Amino acid sequence: MKLFLKLFPSLTFWGIFIYVILQVPYPENITQANLNQLFSFFIPLFLAITFSLNIFLKNVFISGSIALGLIFILIIQALHSLNLVSGGLIIISIGLLISYFKKNKKRDLTNLSKIPKLTKLRR
């Protein structure tokens, strides 16, 4: 049942994305697209990638960060501006977002024996 609850949003948004591809008229290039075409394409794609990655990564923020990075790379590629520098900057920024949202396994900052706890210093 848990797997179905994780698969259902993913399959739903992939279905919406496929419907948008088949039904929305596409422009010649991305600069000629209106906001309705852009939003109807990129929002279901973002949500589909996020929920698909969430099945494996189990963290919505990390999945969303990776999906956002993929969307940015797709947009820059569509504008014919993707090069080593812009791709590297996007990968670095997504890596920083992932490291920010990653859970720290050590919760006790004074776990080491070298650092005295404040409760031991009381008189």
Side-chain angles (χ1 to χ4, degrees):
M1 187 65 180
K2 273 186 160 183
L3 183 64
F4 176 73
L5 291 175
K6 287 192 172 203
L7 281 175
F8 182 71
S10 176
L11 293 175
T12 303
F13 285 112
W14 280 116
I16 292 170
F17 178 68
I18 291 171
Y19 176 77
V20 166
I21 288 176
L22 296 176
Q23 295 299 321
V24 174
Y26 57 94
E28 292 292 322
N29 54 20
I30 195 166
T31 57
Q32 294 176 352
N34 59 16
L35 285 177
N36 187 20
Q37 290 170 331
L38 290 173
F39 286 148
S40 64
F41 180 80
F42 284 114
I43 290 175
L45 179 63
F46 171 74
L47 292 172
I49 293 172
T50 301
F51 285 120
S52 295
L53 289 174
N54 194 28
I55 295 170
F56 304 108
L57 299 178
K58 303 196 178 20
N59 192 338
V60 177
F61 298 116
I62 292 176
S63 302
S65 300
I66 294 172
L68 191 64
L70 290 174
I71 297 293
F72 283 155
I73 287 176
L74 283 175
I75 290 172
I76 291 177
Q77 176 65 34
L79 293 171
H80 302 293
S81 298
L82 184 64
N83 54 23
L84 189 61
V85 174
S86 62
L89 287 174
I90 290 174
I91 290 172
I92 288 171
S93 63
I94 297 307
L96 289 172
L97 273 173
I98 290 172
S99 69
Y100 180 77
F101 289 123
K102 196 183 314 182
K103 290 183 180 179
N104 192 2
K105 293 188 170 125
K106 290 183 182 179
R107 301 240 170 158
D108 189 13
L109 294 176
T110 60
N111 194 14
L112 301 173
S113 61
K114 297 177 185 177
I115 303 172
K117 293 188 177 184
L118 291 177
T119 57
K120 292 181 181 179
L121 298 176
R122 282 190 192 167
R123 292 182 189 198

